[in-house]
Amino acid sequence: MPVDFNGTWNLVSNDNFEGYMTALGIDFATRKIAKMLKPQKVIKQDGDLFSIHTTSTFRDYTLQFKIGEEFEEDNKGLDNRKCKSLVTWDDDKLICVQTGEKKNRGWTHWLEGDDLHLELRCENQVCKQVFKRA
Ligand code: YOG
């Protein structure tokens, strides 16, 4: 039985979100709004099936996937670039590779103590987010 990510999680730190957004080509005005946000994640994990709802006062984003099954991701409301995404386990880490126009795009989730960690990668930028249980 792998790690249990189920729950509602609130953002408590957000390192280099600006660099990540710039690598994604997000415009200045949108970045100024986005960096003030404290998004919440609701994760539902049922065997190999996951849904991750990221919500904020500005935009929401929903992702549903099955481990090991590639799917098309639209990134709607984010950078709106389509990519092919694949999520797999690497020990207790959940790793997503987002293949498309942007090099080295993807993310990793893991638990550390009571905290949920998320690393967001795009090109040469890494954003590190930490969430606590709501
Ligand atoms: O999470 O992919 O948990 O999907 C990344 C924002 C900001 C909109 C958020 C809205 C990238 C304006 C999703 C923030 C910046 C800036 C709340 C991260 C793009 C646009 C939705 C993500 C994965 C892993 C699941």
Side-chain angles (χ1 to χ4, degrees), residues 17 20-21 24 26 30 34 37 39 41 52 54-56 58-63 73 77-79 98 107 109 118 120 129:
F17 190 43
Y20 175 73
M21 287 193 290
L24 279 177
I26 306 302
T30 306
L37 302 172
K41 279 191 196 281
I52 303 180
T54 309
T55 61
S56 75
F58 179 53
R59 303 258 174 88
D60 298 336
Y61 187 68
T62 296
L63 192 68
E73 187 174 3
L78 306 180
D79 67 319
Q98 295 171 307
W107 51 259
H109 264 302
L118 172 62
L120 294 160
Q129 301 185 335

Side-chain angles (χ1 to χ4, degrees), residues 81-100:
R81 271 190 205 87
K82 290 195 168 111
C83 59
K84 296 272 190 194
S85 300
L86 175 67
V87 186
T88 54
W89 287 109
D90 178 17
D91 291 324
D92 287 343
K93 290 188 174 185
L94 210 50
I95 302 200
C96 180
V97 176
Q98 295 171 307
T99 305

